[in-house]
Amino acid sequence: MTKNKITIAIDGYSSTGKSSFSKAIAKRLGYIYVDTGAMYRAVTLYCIDNGLIGEGGFPDTPEIIRRLSEIKISFAYNNETGKSDTMLNGVNVETDIRGIEVSQYVSSISAIPEVRGQMVELQREMGKHGGLVMDGRDIGTVVFPNADLKIFMTADPRVRAIRRFKELEAKGKNVSLKEIEKNISHRDYEDSHRTTSPLRRAEDAVVLDNSNMTLEEQLQWFDLLFSKVVGATKQ
Ligand code: DC
C-alpha cells in the first residue's frame, strides 16, 4: 500500500525550536501544521482574563472544568503573514498568548486532565486525514501513538533561553534572560513530572538535539529521515 501523506509527531522541551522546525517541514511537504502549545496557551489566556487563576498562581480547577465548554479554540489563516493564527472564542489571540504571563501559568493549566482531554479530542479531529505535522509534548505518546514519524527535540537549556530571549527582544518584549531561564527550567520540570501525559520521548521517536544546529541543518537532517520513512511506508 502506498501512503502519500503521513502523520508527523514532534515533541520536546520548551523553546527547542519545535514550531519553527515543524512549520518549515510542513511548508516543504505541503502538510498542515498544528501548534498544540498554542491551544494550551489560549486556554491559559482565557483563565487569566476570567479571573480563574487565584492568589499564588493556583488555578481554580473546578471552575475551569465547569467553563470548558465555553472555551472554543480554532486556527485561522492570516493572509498577511502566511501563517495560522490562534483564535479564542473567535478572537485572534496569537500575540497575547506568547507573553511571559501566559508562559508562567500554562504548565499548571495544561496539567488539568479535563483540559487535556478536550484539547486531545480536537487535535485528533484535526489530524484524522493525515498530511499533518503536529508539535507539542504528548503528540507521539498520547495524541497519535501510531504516527508514522516521531521526532523528539531537545537542546541545551542555556542555548534555549538565549534563543527565546532574542525572539522576545525582537518583538519588543522586555524580559530578562534570567527570568526566561527560570521559566524554561520550571516548565521542563512541570511538563515532565505531571501525572497526566507527562512529556517523555516515545520509544520509537528519533531524537534531534539541535543545540549546535541551524534550522537549515535541521531541515537537511529531516530530509534524510523523511525519505527513509516514506520509503519504508511504501513497502
Ligand atoms: O510549545 P509551547 O511552549 O508553546 O507550549 C506551552 C505549554 O503548553 C507547555 O509548557 C506545556 C503545554 N503543552 C502540553 O502540555 N501539551 C502539548 N501537547 C503542548 C503544550
Side-chain angles (χ1 to χ4, degrees):
M1 188 185 81
T2 302
K3 214 173 155 193
N4 290 325
K5 294 210 162 190
I6 67 167
T7 297
I8 303 177
I10 316 274
D11 289 301
Y13 293 102
S14 297
S15 303
T16 44
K18 293 188 299 294
S19 47
S20 307
F21 175 74
S22 305
K23 251 180 240 167
I25 62 178
K27 193 168 174 198
R28 249 166 146 90
L29 300 171
Y31 281 19
I32 293 168
Y33 163 62
V34 179
D35 172 359
T36 64
M39 299 167 72
Y40 291 99
R41 285 173 178 273
V43 177
T44 305
L45 182 66
Y46 176 93
C47 295
I48 295 171
D49 288 350
N50 289 277
L52 302 178
I53 298 174
E55 300 274 317
F58 294 107
D60 181 349
T61 305
E63 189 55 24
I64 294 170
I65 295 169
R66 255 196 299 280
R67 300 244 204 131
L68 267 181
S69 60
E70 288 172 22
I71 308 177
K72 304 276 182 234
I73 291 159
S74 56
F75 292 98
Y77 187 75
N78 181 328
N79 281 320
E80 268 172 44
T81 60
K83 294 173 186 165
S84 270
D85 285 347
T86 312
M87 311 291 288
L88 169 63
N89 292 335
V91 176
N92 189 323
V93 292
E94 187 54 38
T95 307
D96 298 347
I97 60 169
R98 308 288 167 191
I100 193 85
E101 202 190 355
V102 169
S103 300
Q104 255 160 16
Y105 300 123
V106 65
S107 285
S108 51
I109 300 297
S110 60
I112 301 171
E114 289 80 357
V115 169
R116 303 203 69 80
Q118 181 155 312
M119 295 305 116
V120 169
E121 198 181 315
L122 200 57
Q123 289 152 11
R124 289 191 179 139
E125 183 61 31
M126 288 174 181
K128 67 181 178 194
H129 300 300
L132 172 95
V133 181
M134 188 174 274
D135 82 358
R137 304 293 190 288
D138 59 342
I139 312 305
T141 50
V142 174
V143 184
F144 294 118
N146 297 321
D148 310 274
L149 174 55
K150 299 180 187 176
I151 296 172
F152 188 85
M153 291 178 68
T154 183
D156 179 84
R158 176 88 190 163
V159 172
R160 290 192 269 145
I162 293 171
R163 280 185 195 150
R164 193 73 173 178
F165 177 72
K166 287 187 178 157
E167 224 176 85
L168 291 172
E169 200 182 30
K171 287 182 187 160
K173 301 222 159 122
N174 187 17
V175 189
S176 72
L177 181 59
K178 210 165 167 196
E179 209 175 335
I180 295 173
E181 276 188 292
K182 228 172 96 187
N183 178 254
I184 286 180
S185 60
H186 167 74
R187 286 204 286 149
D188 281 357
Y189 184 86
E190 293 292 322
D191 296 346
S192 331
H193 290 84
R194 65 178 174 227
T195 319
T196 313
S197 320
L199 167 66
R200 63 174 181 81
R201 182 177 78 83
E203 271 171 28
D204 50 349
V206 186
V207 175
L208 171 59
D209 180 339
N210 64 15
S211 303
N212 298 305
M213 285 170 94
T214 62
L215 181 58
E216 200 41 53
E217 286 165 342
Q218 294 171 59
L219 295 176
Q220 282 169 10
W221 173 91
F222 173 79
D223 282 345
L224 272 176
L225 179 67
F226 183 77
S227 54
K228 274 193 219 153
V229 172
V230 169
T233 57
K234 279 182 184 163
Q235 304 292 311

